[in-house]
């Protein structure tokens, strides 16, 4: 390849602007000098590396002469020198990433963990991002340019077309170089972190005391002391009510609360306050009687019924504006949407949308809806998108499961102590279970729970779970098992990969898939019988119904971001109305034909729409991947274990999604196994299965 051609290829790969003429000539001089120094076989690498570095060089980095000197000094020819340079980067970035993550975890812990009342400084600490200056510093210190000079930047198309034939070293080099495909200023990264932290705080403390929901007769459908986080606990409480013959009224009340949150007609006074009674149908508020008030709060003399004033949408817009400020510094993916799909997920947006629509439009969905309707003995209502009755847990009452988990896990420390046993019940050998448990810490979460992996060998992954004063209820346990799946993946994919530059999995959907596999076995962890043939069929039906629900939420999340990019000057009220329109449109296309009602806004209730930018699509894609993994696990020979297979899969590392899936299960990412499993299950169900108990 000629020098000019190599330069054009390198610039085209990053979609970077052409350097000024003086620097373009410097690239040619650099290439000539490097060829003279290292020989003709290094010409293509030298041309590509110099062009890559020039694409990100700024006047503040020095003049053309300084650029040429850096090229000559830092470029290494293939062989031992390049190998040693690669190893230096590998060790250094493990230390840099790992210690930076530990600092951020500590600073945010006061806001995220249940360690006492929130202090004003907690929000400031959580908003501080110790990595905000790292990219700037690595470029200013010329470290980034040394990486760009020696290792190739690659496009998504290259990784998808050629990656299957790459060696592990080539994949690690690609991950190393692509750290520097963008040069986002520290000030921009700092604002992204602040907007995200503010949204996290808003969601983490957004509770509704449902004992204070009253109907037109003044009746209280919920017991005293129940405080539910939006939207996770509200949704889980709604699911739990299917096991109660009197639960329908409570479900309708929760659905109305969700609607009020989404439309922002919820009175601000009822959020996280046990002193206010609220009728969500009329939206009337009044001071709660002293004897009904929880948490030692004092009675009110009066209550202001003013609505929340679009705080939800203000935080979504703050995230959008912070992320949009990074767009000019990402020429190859100039919107957050592009960065999420092309750089993070490495699955093109159109392909993800097509897979979601394959789920949403599957003919099996209407068959499942008819089955649910027969089981419930009533017409379906919009909240039945959360129907959980196909899961084995529906055979035990919520109270029985709560009693079991609360007795076993009165504190987070009790759950941590039992981790080796939990992991053995999930199919890990005793020594491997002990090894994993040593590398996973359990923390008390303010919110519903989450997992935070380590990025440095020697550090621990952290499992955050919500444990009430009377112990871990079943919903909390179910979430904790899900988060444990994340932690196991995070631990294996850090300690088990051959290069820490490949630590992790291809994208978030893959770690969600592993978490779903764990979560589906929560009853077995409790020592309850594993699923028989009928229960396995029910689980396949449940998996498709769950994917159906979250696929629509993903389309709403994506639609909101597309709308914000088309209307960058929007106000919170305008975003609210747009969001409601998007949610209703998605509902009317994919859900109204199945559930009957039209113009329902419930798909916009997910908290991650507010606090985790464009994260939701990872959930349904994770469901698809989980179904493929389950299909693979079902085909294993006798004697094979979940533990050994999860370890094998998760040590593949951060290669492209389809390559990871082929190595794990033999096939690329697809919606077909999920839909096919549900179809087989429905075909095999006896006629009387449609009238089974709730």
């Amino acid at each position: 390849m000629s020098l000019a051609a190599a330069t054009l290829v390198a610039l085209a790969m990053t979609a970077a602007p052409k350097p000024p003429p003086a620097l373009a000539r410097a690239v040619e001089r650099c290439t000539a000098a490097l060829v003279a120094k290292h020989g003709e076989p290094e010409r293509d690498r030298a041309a590509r590396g110099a062009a890559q570095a020039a694409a990100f060089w700024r006047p503040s980095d020095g003049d053309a002469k300084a650029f040429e000197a850096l090229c000559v000094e830092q470029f290494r020819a293939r062989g031992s020198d390049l190998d040693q340079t690669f190893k230096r980067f590998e060790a250094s970035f493990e230390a840099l990433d790992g210690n930076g993550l530990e600092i951020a975890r500590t600073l945010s812990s006061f806001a995220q963990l249940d360690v006492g009342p929130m202090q004003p400084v907690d929000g400031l600490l959580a908003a501080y991002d110790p990595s905000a200056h790292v990219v700037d510093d690595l470029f200013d210190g010329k470290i980034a340019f040394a990486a760009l000079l020696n290792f190739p930047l690659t496009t998504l198309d290259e990784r998808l077309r050629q990656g299957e034939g790459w060696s592990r070293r080539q994949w690690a080099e690609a991950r190393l170089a692509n750290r520097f495909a963008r040069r986002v200023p520290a000030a921009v990264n700092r604002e992204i972190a602040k907007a995200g932290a503010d949204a996290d705080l808003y969601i983490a403390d957004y509770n509704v005391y449902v004992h204070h929901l009253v109907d037109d007769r003044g009746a209280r459908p919920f017991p005293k002391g129940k405080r539910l986080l939006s939207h996770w606990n509200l949704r889980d409480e709604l699911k739990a009510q299917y096991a109660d013959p009197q639960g329908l009224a409570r479900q309708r009340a929760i659905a109305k609360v969700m609607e009020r949150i989404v439309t922002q007609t919820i009175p601000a006074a009822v959020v996280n306050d046990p002193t206010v009674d609220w009728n969500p149908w009329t939206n009337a508020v009044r001071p709660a009687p002293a004897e009904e008030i929880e948490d030692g709060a004092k009675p009110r003399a009066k209550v202001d019924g003013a609505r929340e004033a679009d705080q939800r949408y203000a935080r979504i817009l703050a995230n959008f504006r912070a992320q949009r400020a990074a767009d000019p510094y990402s020429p190859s993916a100039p919107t957050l949407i592009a960065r999420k799909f092309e750089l993070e997920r490495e699955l093109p947006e159109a392909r993800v949308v097509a897979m979601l629509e394959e789920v949403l439009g599957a003919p099996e969905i209407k068959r499942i809806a008819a089955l649910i309707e027969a089981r419930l003995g009533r017409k379906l209502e919009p909240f039945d998108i959360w129907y959980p009755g196909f899961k084995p847990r529906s055979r035990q009452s919520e109270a029985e499961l709560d009693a079991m988990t609360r007795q076993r896990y009165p504190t987070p420390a009790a759950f941590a102590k039992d981790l080796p046993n939990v992991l053995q019940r999930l199919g890990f050998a005793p020594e491997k279970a002990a090894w994993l448990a040593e590398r996973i810490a359990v923390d008390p979460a303010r919110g519903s729970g989450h997992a935070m992996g380590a990025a440095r060998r020697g550090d621990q992954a952290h499992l955050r779970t919500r444990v009430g004063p009377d112990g871990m209820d079943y919903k909390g346990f179910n979430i904790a098992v899900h988060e444990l799946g994340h932690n196991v993946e995070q631990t294996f994919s850090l300690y088990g990969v051959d290069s820490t530059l490949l630590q992790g999995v291809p994208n978030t959907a893959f770690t969600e898939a592993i978490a779903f596999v764990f979560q589906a076995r929560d009853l077995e962890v409790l020592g309850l019988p594993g699923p028989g043939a009928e229960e396995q069929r029910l689980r396949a039906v449940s998996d498709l119904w769950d994917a159906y629900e979250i696929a629509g939420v993903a389309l709403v999340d994506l639609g909101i971001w597309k709308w914000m990019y088309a209307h960058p000057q929007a106000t919170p009220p305008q975003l609210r109305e747009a969001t409601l329109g998007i949610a209703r449109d998605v509902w009317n296309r994919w859900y109204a034909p199945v559930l009957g009602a039209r113009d329902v806004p419930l798909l916009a209730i997910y908290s991650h729409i507010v606090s985790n930018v464009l994260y939701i699509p990872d959930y349904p894609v994770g469901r698809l991947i989980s179904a493929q993994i389950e299909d693979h696990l079902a085909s294993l020979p006798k004697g094979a274990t979940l533990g050994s297979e999860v370890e094998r899969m998760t040590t593949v590392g951060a290669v492209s999604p389809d390559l990871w899936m082929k190595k794990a299960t033999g096939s690329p990412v697809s919606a077909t196994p999920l839909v096919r499993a549900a179809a087989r299950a429905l075909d095999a169900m006896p006629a009387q299965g449609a009238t089974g108990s709730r």
Side-chain angles (χ1 to χ4, degrees):
M1 182 184 293
S2 69
L3 169 60
T7 302
L8 289 173
V9 166
L11 292 176
M13 282 193 308
T14 60
K18 290 183 180 180
L23 205 55
R25 289 192 293 273
V27 169
E28 295 184 5
R29 291 193 296 270
C30 282
T31 304
L34 292 172
V35 170
K37 182 177 180 180
H38 299 290
E40 188 64 29
E42 294 298 319
R43 177 178 293 278
D44 290 348
R45 281 191 64 244
R48 181 172 183 157
Q52 288 176 171
F56 294 93
W57 191 268
R58 296 175 182 168
S60 60
D61 297 317
D63 58 16
K65 189 171 291 187
F67 174 77
E68 292 175 47
L70 182 75
C71 287
V72 172
E73 178 185 359
Q74 292 297 333
F75 181 84
R76 316 312 290 162
R78 280 171 288 204
S80 61
D81 281 352
L82 185 63
D83 293 343
Q84 289 303 313
T85 299
F86 173 82
K87 290 177 181 178
R88 298 285 200 277
F89 276 116
E90 184 179 47
S92 298
F93 285 142
E94 181 184 355
L96 186 63
D97 295 343
N99 286 287
L101 184 148
E102 290 175 60
I103 294 169
R105 185 176 66 221
T106 299
L107 295 182
S108 64
S109 65
F110 309 105
Q112 294 179 352
L113 302 186
D114 189 8
V115 290
M118 291 275 290
Q119 300 298 322
V121 74
D122 292 345
L124 300 178
L125 292 169
Y128 177 74
D129 181 4
S131 67
H133 290 268
V134 167
V135 173
D136 266 7
D137 291 345
L138 292 175
F139 273 103
D140 290 345
K142 306 302 186 290
I143 296 169
F145 292 111
L148 291 167
L149 280 164
N150 286 289
F151 304 106
L153 283 168
T154 56
T155 63
L156 176 61
D157 183 62
E158 279 184 294
R159 293 191 292 278
L160 296 185
R161 284 190 300 104
Q162 302 174 17
E164 194 162 352
W166 286 356
S167 67
R168 299 288 290 177
R169 169 67 178 267
Q170 284 176 293
W171 268 108
E173 288 185 0
R175 295 311 187 203
L176 167 58
N178 273 48
R179 293 173 66 106
F180 304 110
R182 300 189 296 141
R183 190 177 183 180
V184 181
V188 174
N189 284 327
R190 190 164 53 245
E191 288 305 309
I192 290 172
K194 182 180 184 303
D198 288 347
D200 283 342
L201 285 172
Y202 171 76
I203 289 298
D205 211 31
Y206 200 105
N207 293 280
V208 176
Y209 284 80
V210 291
H211 174 62
H212 296 276
L213 300 180
V214 296
D215 62 19
D216 291 338
R217 301 186 307 278
R220 300 175 186 274
F222 291 95
K224 191 174 182 179
K226 193 175 281 288
R227 184 184 66 154
L228 301 179
L229 183 73
S230 176
H231 83 288
W232 304 108
N233 293 148
L234 287 170
R235 180 204 61 185
D236 290 344
E237 182 67 23
L238 190 154
K239 288 183 174 183
Q241 293 302 323
Y242 282 100
D244 189 332
Q246 307 303 315
L248 184 58
R250 298 189 191 106
Q251 291 174 317
R252 288 171 175 161
I254 291 173
K256 192 64 183 179
V257 171
M258 289 178 167
E259 182 184 320
R260 292 290 187 189
I261 292 171
V262 167
T263 59
Q264 290 281 257
T265 55
I266 184 172
V270 309
V271 179
N272 215 29
D273 195 322
T275 68
V276 181
D277 285 349
W278 173 38
N279 183 327
W281 289 273
T282 66
N283 226 18
V285 294
R286 67 188 184 209
E291 65 272 15
E292 301 291 352
I293 294 175
E294 303 101 322
D295 294 349
K298 295 181 180 179
R300 288 179 177 235
K302 60 180 181 178
V303 179
D304 183 351
R307 72 181 186 89
E308 195 193 355
D310 301 324
Q311 291 299 306
R312 181 181 186 88
Y313 297 100
R315 282 159 178 78
I316 297 173
L317 277 174
N319 268 328
F320 165 69
R321 288 175 179 142
Q323 294 286 349
R324 186 168 173 257
D327 291 353
Y329 307 100
S330 182
S332 63
T335 68
L336 179 73
I337 298 169
R339 292 192 288 278
K340 281 288 183 179
F341 286 96
E342 296 175 21
L343 299 184
E344 292 185 25
R345 293 188 180 101
E346 294 189 316
L347 288 169
E349 177 194 339
R351 183 177 171 199
V352 172
V353 170
M355 289 192 293
L356 299 184
E357 291 187 346
E358 183 179 347
V359 170
L360 290 164
E364 288 76 15
I365 294 297
K366 288 188 176 180
R367 295 175 65 187
I368 297 173
L371 186 57
I372 296 171
E373 192 167 276
R375 284 171 154 239
L376 295 177
R378 61 166 172 80
K379 291 290 186 183
L380 296 186
E381 299 191 31
F383 57 78
D384 289 318
I385 56 171
W386 290 302
Y387 176 76
F390 298 118
K391 293 181 171 65
R393 69 177 61 100
S394 64
R395 297 176 181 270
Q396 286 82 27
S397 73
E398 188 81 3
E400 290 172 323
L401 292 170
D402 282 346
M404 186 178 298
T405 57
R406 282 173 175 149
Q407 181 180 16
R408 189 173 295 185
Y409 305 120
T411 64
F415 186 72
K417 185 177 180 180
D418 198 39
L419 275 183
N421 296 321
V422 169
L423 289 160
Q424 286 183 58
R425 293 187 199 108
L426 286 165
F428 291 91
E431 63 277 8
K432 188 64 69 173
W435 182 87
L436 285 165
E438 289 173 0
R439 288 159 179 80
I440 298 172
V442 180
D443 305 320
R446 289 192 192 276
S448 61
H450 64 274
M452 182 178 287
R456 176 186 63 80
R457 289 167 294 189
D459 188 20
Q460 290 177 295
H462 282 248
L463 189 160
R464 273 76 185 275
T465 183
R466 194 172 193 173
V467 179
D470 53 351
M472 181 186 286
D473 63 17
Y474 172 68
K475 287 191 287 289
F477 172 75
N478 177 260
I479 292 171
V481 176
H482 177 97
E483 304 307 338
L484 179 61
H486 286 303
N487 290 144
V488 168
E489 173 274 302
Q490 292 158 347
T491 302
F492 278 142
S493 67
L494 170 62
Y495 285 87
V497 292
D498 47 346
S499 169
T500 53
L501 293 167
L502 288 174
Q503 68 174 275
V505 287
N507 60 49
T508 303
F510 285 78
T511 189
E512 288 296 346
I514 300 296
F516 289 141
V517 169
F518 275 53
Q519 190 173 15
R521 290 158 174 78
D522 64 339
L523 293 179
E524 294 160 70
V525 172
L526 289 175
L528 297 172
E534 180 184 355
E535 289 169 320
Q536 288 175 344
R537 288 193 290 269
L538 290 172
R539 181 170 285 166
V541 172
S542 177
D543 288 344
L544 180 56
W545 189 253
D546 288 346
Y548 171 65
E549 174 255 331
I550 197 63
V553 181
L555 293 183
V556 170
D557 195 17
L558 178 57
I560 290 169
W561 277 84
K562 285 179 174 290
W563 187 90
M564 288 191 293
Y565 267 105
H567 303 84
Q569 304 305 317
T571 63
Q574 289 171 332
L575 177 59
R576 180 193 71 229
E577 291 307 306
T579 298
L580 295 176
I582 292 164
R584 287 165 178 151
D585 287 346
V586 172
W587 182 276
N588 289 343
R589 181 179 179 189
W590 299 109
Y591 297 85
V594 176
L595 292 143
R598 290 183 58 81
D599 296 328
V600 174
L602 283 182
L603 295 174
I605 188 60
Y606 261 70
S607 295
H608 276 348
I609 291 175
V610 181
S611 60
N612 294 68
V613 293
L614 261 183
Y615 183 95
I616 300 292
D618 291 318
Y619 280 116
V621 175
R623 289 285 182 193
L624 307 186
I625 296 167
S626 175
Q628 287 184 264
I629 292 173
E630 291 284 14
D631 192 51
H632 167 75
L633 293 173
S635 69
L636 291 175
K638 190 173 182 179
T641 65
L642 171 72
S644 61
E645 280 300 286
V646 166
E647 181 174 8
R648 181 186 66 81
M649 293 175 183
T650 54
T651 53
V652 170
V655 296
S656 65
D658 283 337
L659 178 57
W660 190 99
M661 187 58 75
K662 287 178 182 177
K663 288 182 177 294
T665 70
S667 302
V669 180
S670 168
T672 300
L674 175 72
V675 177
R676 185 177 59 210
R680 285 198 303 260
L682 289 165
D683 290 343
M685 282 184 178
Q688 63 268 28
T691 57
S693 67
R694 287 194 266 179

